[in-house]
Amino acid sequence: MRAALALLVALAACAAPEPLDGEEIRSSTEAGPVETDARVHTVQLYQTGEEASLPVLSLRDESTLTLEFDIVSPEAPGPLRVEFSRVGTADGPELLPSEYLTGFERDEIFDAEPSNTTAIPYVHYTYTFPNAGIGFRIGGIYSLRVREPGGPALFERRFFVDEGRVNTDVFIGTRLAEIGAVGRAIQPAARLRPIGDLQVEDAFRFTVCFFRDGDVDALRCAPEPSLAELAVYGFYLPRDQAFEPVAPIYRLDLGVLGLSPEVEEVDVVAVPPTALLELDYAAFGGDIVNPVSLSASGIDAGYREAGRGDDDAEYVEVTFRYVPPGERVLPGAVYVRGGFTDGRISPRGRLTWKPDDKRYEGTVLVKQGLYAYDYPAPVADPSRQPVALGQPSAYTALVFYRDLSLFADRLVGVQSAVAR
């Protein structure tokens, strides 16, 4: 359980302003979470060639991850640098870079393209790794930070390096939600079959953690395993850690600047262009085929006008309009969240209550493309939390192995399953 708690603390460090339970997160580059610079937009980190994928890098093949982002500013910044570190936890020693990297700790980002006659100018950056200078020795949770040399970090993103040393099956169970809530809570489980040298290792040196719909900041870990048989280890998320019922997920297609089932009004002459979306009702959500896209942006896949999405797509001021359950104001702040907010609750996505219209509204700068989004309403009153029946969700299991020689948790397996 101590290893599970440490892993949970490590992932939560991205979102929590303070460490949990007195634990501390250590990074070899800079302490504390990094707030995304206001100039940075549309950050993508995915398996090369598949925008709607999780940022999981396999050590068993020659796969790579691609990082893309825009700097929206009249003046492009100077050269940018990317720095890599492995996320450490307070219950183990901080590893030296030479213990987890095969090359250097940092690299320069040379691929930068200015936008082509767009209403709002921006510079598009692309970086792919591993490469000749950057490589990884062991699995785990890693962090990359992009900065201007000598300045603070512009943004930070987490990704996973998987050693692929276990075969993993993910199963999705449901149970009635707590009294007062609507729908069913979700209890994912995983069965492990270690391969190679891990077959002889103690099952209690493994930990399995789960997250949903690409939200790696909300990791939940299972306790010690149950042994169905000597070769199979089962990990079940406890009832008190079960995932809440799924909230509605909506679809936004800005591949073409025009009217659509999602866009009620559009002004292509305005600078920047504007789009007014149809009302989103809490009781209805879209049927998103790939829920991982909640934290992704489909720029290449979604852009359908002349040119390339990377540097020809416009930034659009999109007005979101959300009708909450019962058309009543909700406790606490309400946000819209999607790839345009990096899949996180961000000040950019905060909405304002309009009492005369009985809905929330807010405008977000969104690059043309294809997105999924939701409204993570406060859950202080579970009975007022909207639930989407039949809404697919992706649950991902991360399998960690405690390496006693390093006293560190190595990521040895990643597997996802989609459930309704």
Side-chain angles (χ1 to χ4, degrees), residues 317-369:
E317 286 191 344
V318 177
T319 299
F320 294 84
R321 301 184 294 170
Y322 174 62
V323 181
E327 299 185 7
R328 295 176 297 184
V329 63
L330 295 172
V334 174
Y335 299 83
V336 61
R337 173 182 62 179
F340 41 81
T341 66
D342 304 324
R344 302 176 178 186
I345 293 176
S346 165
R348 294 177 181 175
R350 183 161 183 168
L351 306 182
T352 301
W353 173 249
K354 302 293 184 180
D356 292 342
D357 299 318
K358 297 182 179 180
R359 63 176 180 250
Y360 288 89
E361 289 188 12
T363 300
V364 183
L365 197 62
V366 180
K367 190 176 187 179
Q368 281 188 270

Side-chain angles (χ1 to χ4, degrees), residues 76-117:
L80 299 183
R81 173 179 297 166
V82 59
E83 300 173 342
F84 294 88
S85 63
R86 191 173 187 274
V87 176
T89 56
D91 71 336
E94 183 174 359
L95 299 181
L96 297 173
S98 60
E99 294 179 288
Y100 57 81
L101 295 174
T102 62
F104 303 103
E105 299 176 62
R106 59 183 61 89
D107 199 4
E108 303 295 327
I109 301 177
F110 295 107
D111 189 345
E113 295 288 340
S115 60
N116 296 316
T117 64

Side-chain angles (χ1 to χ4, degrees), residues 6 33 43 55 59 77 144 160 188 203 215 245 321 337 349 384:
V43 179
L59 290 183
L144 65 81
F160 304 101
D215 187 3
R321 301 184 294 170
R337 173 182 62 179
R384 295 169 64 183

Side-chain angles (χ1 to χ4, degrees), residues 57-59 61-65 82-86 96-107 127-140 142-144 159-163:
L57 178 67
S58 173
L59 290 183
D61 55 37
E62 296 182 355
S63 64
T64 60
L65 297 183
V82 59
E83 300 173 342
F84 294 88
S85 63
R86 191 173 187 274
L96 297 173
S98 60
E99 294 179 288
Y100 57 81
L101 295 174
T102 62
F104 303 103
E105 299 176 62
R106 59 183 61 89
D107 199 4
Y127 177 78
T128 301
F129 65 96
N131 50 44
I134 301 296
F136 305 91
R137 295 186 185 276
I138 62 175
Y142 284 79
S143 170
L144 65 81
F159 62 96
F160 304 101
V161 176
D162 175 23
E163 297 183 16

Side-chain angles (χ1 to χ4, degrees), residues 119-361:
I120 294 182
Y122 60 88
V123 178
H124 181 77
Y125 295 83
T126 304
Y127 177 78
T128 301
F129 65 96
N131 50 44
I134 301 296
F136 305 91
R137 295 186 185 276
I138 62 175
I141 304 169
Y142 284 79
S143 170
L144 65 81
R145 291 182 174 184
V146 173
R147 71 174 72 241
E148 296 178 75
L154 298 175
F155 66 90
E156 176 184 24
R157 287 297 177 273
R158 298 290 170 91
F159 62 96
F160 304 101
V161 176
D162 175 23
E163 297 183 16
R165 301 171 69 191
V166 297
N167 293 322
T168 308
D169 296 317
V170 177
F171 303 89
I172 308 299
T174 62
R175 66 176 179 82
L176 290 176
E178 301 295 337
I179 296 175
V182 182
R184 294 179 176 271
I186 311 299
Q187 285 183 274
R191 291 180 182 173
L192 317 181
R193 292 178 176 83
I195 58 180
D197 59 333
L198 291 191
Q199 294 183 74
V200 298
E201 294 297 342
D202 184 357
F204 291 88
R205 287 170 63 181
F206 292 90
T207 299
V208 178
C209 299
F210 301 91
F211 61 87
R212 179 169 69 187
D213 293 344
D215 187 3
V216 298
D217 292 333
L219 201 67
R220 305 186 184 190
C221 299
E224 57 274 354
S226 62
L227 304 180
E229 55 184 88
L230 291 179
V232 179
Y233 311 148
F235 290 81
Y236 306 90
L237 201 62
R239 292 174 62 91
D240 61 356
Q241 290 293 309
F243 289 90
E244 300 79 11
V246 180
I249 299 177
Y250 305 86
R251 180 178 184 269
L252 173 58
D253 186 349
L254 280 180
V256 176
L257 282 181
L259 302 183
S260 70
E262 298 112 21
V263 179
E264 181 177 300
E265 297 178 10
V266 64
D267 186 348
V268 298
V269 179
V271 179
T274 63
L276 176 68
L277 300 190
E278 294 283 355
L279 294 176
D280 290 326
Y281 289 87
F284 306 100
D287 188 11
I288 301 300
V289 176
N290 185 357
V292 172
S293 61
L294 185 62
S295 59
S297 306
I299 306 302
D300 291 336
Y303 185 72
R304 300 188 304 280
E305 302 202 75
R308 302 188 317 153
D310 287 349
D311 44 32
D312 286 294
E314 294 279 4
Y315 271 90
V316 183
E317 286 191 344
V318 177
T319 299
F320 294 84
R321 301 184 294 170
Y322 174 62
V323 181
E327 299 185 7
R328 295 176 297 184
V329 63
L330 295 172
V334 174
Y335 299 83
V336 61
R337 173 182 62 179
F340 41 81
T341 66
D342 304 324
R344 302 176 178 186
I345 293 176
S346 165
R348 294 177 181 175
R350 183 161 183 168
L351 306 182
T352 301
W353 173 249
K354 302 293 184 180
D356 292 342
D357 299 318
K358 297 182 179 180
R359 63 176 180 250
Y360 288 89
E361 289 188 12

